[in-house]
Every structure is written in C-alpha cells, then in structure tokens.
Amino acid sequence: MKKVFVKSYGCQMNVYDSERMADALTADGYAQTDSADDADLVVLNTCHIREKAAEKVYSELGRVREIKEARAVEGRETKVVVAGCVAQAEGAEILRRAKVVDVVVGPQSYHRLPAMVREAGAASGRRRLVDTDFPEDDKFDHLPKLDRARIRARGVAAFLTVQEGCDKFCSFCVVPYTRGAEVSRPVSRLIEEARLLAQAGVREITLIGQNVNAYHGEGTDGREWTLGRLLHAVAEVEGVERIRYTTSHPRDMDEALIAAHRDLPQLMPYLHLPVQSGSDRILAAMNRKHTGDEYRRVIDQVRAARPDIALSSDFIVGFPGESDADFEETMRLVADIGFASSFSFKYSARPGTPAAESGEQIAEAVKAERLARLQALLEEQRRAFNGATVGRVVEVLIEKPGRHPGQLGGKSPYLQAVHFDGAGLAVGDIVPVRIVAQGANSLVGEAVRDAAAGNADKMESSAA
Ligand code: 5AD
Ligand code: SF4
C-alpha cells in the first residue's frame, strides 16, 4: 500500500482540511504515515497569513527535496503536493521556485486532489499540475463521508467547518484572497456531520470558519440561519456535550449569539474575539469597521450573558502608521478587559493587501519592542486568569493520557489544559477536577471522587 504524509500549518481550518484530504487519499488507496521519509506522497497544507508562515513552507520543501532524492536513488518515487493558502496565493510560482513540487492545489479544490495526484509524477512524464479555482459547489460534497474509525482515531474533540472565506477585507489580511468569498454550509449537512462525530465518540465540537459568526447558511426551514441558531441545533445532537466556535469578528457578535452564551449549557465559556488594536485611528486604517469602545461594549454584553467567560484575542503591533500613542491605546484596552489567553504578532506586509502598499511601515526594532511589552502584559493576565482557577472544581473533558503513567490530560471549560491522576477514568469522560496548582502551560488537578463535592456545576455558579 502506498503511504501519504500530510503536514499542516496555520489555523484549525487547515487542520480540518488536512484530515479531509487524508480521507480522500485514503479512499484512493493510500495509508497515512507520520513520517515523511517513508511516504510515497507528501502533502504540505500551507498557511500564508504572515510572512514567516509562508517562508516555513519553502524551507520544508528543501527538506522534502532531500528525501525525494534519497528515495529516487532507491528507485522509489515521491510525489509532492503543496496545498492550502500559499498554494492559492502563489499558484504556478511554486512550481517555478520549487522543482520538487508535483501538484499545487488551493483550499477550494481538494476534492480533485486524488485525481491530480494520479495524473502527476513520473508515469506521465513528470506532469506538474496546478488547480487554484474557486468552484461554485461545496467541496465537502465531493469528499468521502467521515468514517467512524478515522473519527475515533482523531480523538474526542473535533473540528467542524461551517463557514469559509471572508468578505471583510481588513487591510492587512490575505484571507479574502486565499480563501475567497464567504460561504456557509447548509445546516442539514452540518447536523449530519455532527451526528456522525458524536456517534463515533466525539464529545466536543468546535465549529470553525474564518468568520464563523458571519455564518448565514440555509436552515432546515429553507431560511437563512445565523450562528446563534446553528449552535442551538448542534446542542440538540445527542452525545455532543460541549460546543465551541472560532474565529469571530466583533461586528458579527449579534444578540442571538450573545444570548446563546447565557442559554446553552453546552456552549463553553470561552470566546476568541480578535480586536487587533485598541486605537480607533489604526482600527479605521485596518478597515475593521469598529472602534475600541464598540469592542468594549460587545465584551460587556458577553460578560453580562456569561460572567465567567474566558476571553481571548489577536493583536497586531506595528501596523503601518502606528504611533506610540496608538500603541498605548492597545495597552489600555488590554488592561481594561483582561484576557485569559491571546495571540499577538508583529505586522507582516502581505503581498496584494492594501496595508502592504502603505508608505508608513514601522521599523522592525519598534515592532519588536512593542510586541515584547504587549506580550508581557498579556502573559501576566493569562497567569492571573489561570491562577484564579486554582482551588476551584472544573469539569474536564479527558482527551488523552498525560505526560506520566496514570496521568490524564484534558481541557477545562475555559480551554485550559489540565493534567491529573485518573485511575479508572477514560478518554471521553467529563469529570470534576479540583485545580491544585498552576504550571507553565497547564494546570495540575485532582479528580474529585466524592459525588457531593464533585458537583462542579454548583461550584461553578457559586464561584461566578
Ligand atoms: N500581519 C500580522 N498579523 C496578521 N494577522 C493576520 N494578518 C496579519 C498580518 N499581515 C493576524 C491577525 C489575525 C490572526 C489570525 O493573524 O491578528 O487575527
Ligand atoms: Fe493561514 Fe489564513 Fe489560510 Fe488559515 S486561512 S491557513 S490562517 S492563511
């Protein structure tokens, strides 16, 4: 049997796409391997969001070339595919720059991947193929259905793509160009997929989309449904104990979605809501179409609906034209809100985006200094949030064996990694755990055995 190695970069959407590509290739006779050295087919599912992400791909292709050459000496062929957002953005340029590549396929054409792989390579006189079309139909309809054994192998927490693409055109971002216009999948398909996942043992589903809360798919009544409504429908699927969604835009946090955080016990108290900057001037230049205070108001509403919610955000420092005063506004917003976790980046000029053309690019040293200051504050907030859970009992979904024998690892409702001793407990269980200490990247807990003390829900609400 031929072997395929799939490597994923970038966001959760790419992780999901990689799984679906692997499914399509498995249906076409490949077995998955986790080593590139013995792979007959190497697929790099790439990310274009920041310069570093794209550069990683070319350096990885250098390593793949060595493998391909070594295998060729032994008379074995290695076909190489570049998929994902770099493929979409650079297209045929990749074939010119990296001779090792046989197939370039954009995120909307994965269903054609098995056929392309068959056509490419030595047997056809080393034909090289590119497909970066945006077809009209839903690629997921052409991919093989999820199968139970594969779902189970991937664990008890799964992603489900509900929406793709973006129509917002933030001036720094490549996503509208690499993922195309916003498309929402119909509710019926999503519920069907959620059922399959739950029946195979999945307990937690994260609905994903580049702009997930702009979801506007066809509902079971033929009308357009919002994400809030979709969340209610997913919550009704038997076996789905936990729901999350990501990534959201502040402008699309509508009332129904905010209310879902109050009304749906399955919806976990965690919200990733990128703000990017705290300066109204920079937010306008970024084309975010909201101000710092509008973001604060949304957060107030979300907190009113779910007081214990863990907030997370994305930040960009050194956007073109960002002054010291603008940056201080970002620091002030962070101080005002208090985030449980976050991602922060130096602005990276992406070819083809409006901000890349700006004459006011910020010096690298200034970006580095601002990033260090921002990250110090965010890290302090992260530790404070995690520290506040020490002594509390939280429900942990057990996802995998822990680092030491007898240990288990899982996630709290707030998406914190928790490790604890769990003799007799199994992956997939959701159990009350008392948090006893805070480590560098995870919390240490003790399973609560006593049923009365173990009523985490009671503890949660009294704590909140
Ligand atoms: N430079 C730096 N960060 C960026 N992001 C997106 N585009 C850029 C860019 N050009 C960040 C944003 C976004 C996250 C996914 O990546 O913060 O929310
Ligand atoms: Fe990267 Fe954006 Fe593509 Fe995800 S959608 S892989 S973040 S460029």
Side-chain angles (χ1 to χ4, degrees):
M1 208 179 200
K2 288 192 169 173
K3 289 184 184 164
V4 58
F5 170 73
V6 184
K7 181 160 178 175
S8 214
Y9 301 82
C11 63
Q12 291 104 330
M13 177 133 343
N14 264 16
V15 174
Y16 179 85
D17 284 348
S18 290
E19 290 174 353
R20 304 314 307 278
M21 276 192 273
D23 293 342
L25 291 163
T26 324
D28 214 50
Y30 282 90
Q32 239 180 306
T33 167
D34 46 19
S35 137
D37 296 292
D38 66 350
D40 303 283
L41 177 62
V42 173
V43 180
L44 303 183
N45 194 14
T46 63
C47 174
H48 201 54
I49 195 93
R50 288 170 294 274
E51 195 177 346
K52 271 195 189 152
E55 281 310 315
K56 258 194 221 159
V57 175
Y58 285 104
S59 63
E60 182 72 19
L61 282 172
R63 280 191 291 275
V64 172
R65 200 185 77 194
E66 284 170 22
I67 294 172
K68 184 164 177 155
E69 285 169 356
R71 283 171 51 94
V73 172
E74 300 163 10
R76 294 187 294 168
E77 187 185 13
T78 314
K79 294 182 188 179
V80 179
V81 175
V82 174
C85 297
V86 175
Q88 188 65 41
E90 309 228 319
E93 176 63 24
I94 296 174
L95 295 185
R96 277 189 287 277
R97 198 168 148 185
K99 296 280 177 264
V100 65
V101 177
D102 299 288
V103 172
V104 174
V105 63
Q108 304 310 331
S109 309
Y110 294 152
H111 50 293
R112 302 199 192 118
L113 182 58
M116 291 175 83
V117 168
R118 266 181 262 127
E119 256 183 72
S124 59
R126 184 97 216 277
R127 264 190 78 188
R128 304 169 86 201
L129 304 167
V130 180
D131 188 342
T132 52
D133 284 351
F134 286 110
E136 285 294 298
D137 45 352
D138 183 347
K139 69 180 169 196
F140 297 113
D141 289 349
H142 302 279
L143 287 168
K145 284 238 183 310
L146 292 167
D147 104 36
R148 265 190 194 214
R150 300 179 65 80
I151 297 172
R152 200 165 289 145
R154 285 171 187 156
V156 295
F159 295 130
L160 172 53
T161 294
V162 304
Q163 176 280 341
E164 249 190 291
C166 182
D167 295 340
K168 294 219 167 46
F169 291 91
C170 297
S171 62
F172 52 81
C173 188
V174 286
V175 168
Y177 313 97
T178 57
R179 289 279 174 170
E182 226 171 64
V183 181
S184 297
R185 299 177 66 196
V187 173
S188 57
R189 298 276 155 67
L190 299 173
I191 297 303
E192 189 189 333
E193 211 169 306
R195 276 202 195 108
L196 274 170
L197 292 170
Q199 283 161 8
V202 167
R203 290 288 157 266
E204 175 177 301
I205 296 182
T206 302
L207 307 182
I208 56 173
Q210 265 95 26
N211 233 300
V212 72
N213 58 343
Y215 179 83
H216 57 148
E218 188 190 330
T220 48
D221 54 4
R223 300 207 187 159
E224 227 174 68
W225 284 21
T226 62
L227 182 66
R229 246 186 120 177
L230 175 64
L231 287 168
H232 278 270
V234 175
E236 278 169 23
V237 174
E238 203 182 314
V240 177
E241 310 283 346
R242 289 180 160 197
I243 308 172
R244 302 179 187 276
Y245 63 93
T246 199
T247 288
S248 299
H249 192 290
R251 280 174 57 84
D252 295 319
M253 289 304 298
D254 63 23
E255 259 176 54
L257 181 53
I258 293 171
H261 280 282
R262 182 190 59 221
D263 300 334
L264 276 182
Q266 295 92 334
L267 185 57
M268 290 292 103
Y270 182 95
L271 174 64
H272 181 64
L273 194 62
V275 64
Q276 317 296 357
S277 168
S279 152
D280 291 347
R281 212 174 63 82
I282 295 299
L283 286 167
M286 286 176 164
N287 195 31
R288 294 287 291 176
K289 300 203 173 83
H290 64 79
T291 63
D293 280 348
E294 279 161 354
Y295 183 85
R296 286 177 176 89
R297 267 201 293 284
V298 170
I299 295 297
D300 287 345
Q301 288 163 2
V302 171
R303 278 186 164 147
R306 185 74 208 231
D308 64 335
I309 199 159
L311 295 168
S312 156
S313 199
D314 290 343
F315 301 89
I316 297 177
V317 300
F319 182 84
E322 185 186 70
S323 67
D324 285 336
D326 291 321
F327 174 67
E328 294 308 328
E329 288 289 287
T330 301
M331 294 292 281
R332 195 165 66 84
L333 182 133
V334 172
D336 287 350
I337 291 180
F339 291 96
S341 77
S342 56
F343 302 88
S344 45
F345 314 99
K346 290 186 221 168
Y347 169 73
S348 160
R350 306 310 294 131
T353 58
E357 309 294 314
S358 164
E360 297 181 280
Q361 302 297 328
I362 302 295
E364 204 42 44
V366 174
K367 287 185 198 172
E369 194 205 308
R370 289 179 185 165
L371 187 66
R373 272 190 61 204
L374 175 62
Q375 288 186 339
L377 177 58
L378 289 166
E379 174 61 13
E380 198 181 290
Q381 294 190 341
R382 187 183 74 89
R383 291 197 64 81
F385 182 88
N386 289 340
T389 48
V390 175
R392 286 181 62 192
V393 174
V394 296
E395 297 248 320
V396 173
L397 168 63
I398 303 175
E399 293 184 4
K400 54 180 193 292
R403 283 170 291 200
H404 309 294
Q407 245 197 1
L408 293 168
K411 297 272 163 51
S412 78
Y414 312 104
L415 208 61
Q416 297 153 302
V418 179
H419 289 95
F420 64 103
D421 285 327
L425 298 170
V427 168
D429 290 349
I430 297 177
V431 297
V433 173
R434 186 182 311 281
I435 305 302
V436 295
Q438 175 182 21
N441 294 307
S442 65
L443 298 171
V444 184
E446 281 168 359
V448 179
R449 304 284 175 172
D450 159 10
N455 195 333
D457 279 333
K458 257 185 215 148
M459 303 283 295
E460 298 280 326
S461 51
S462 63

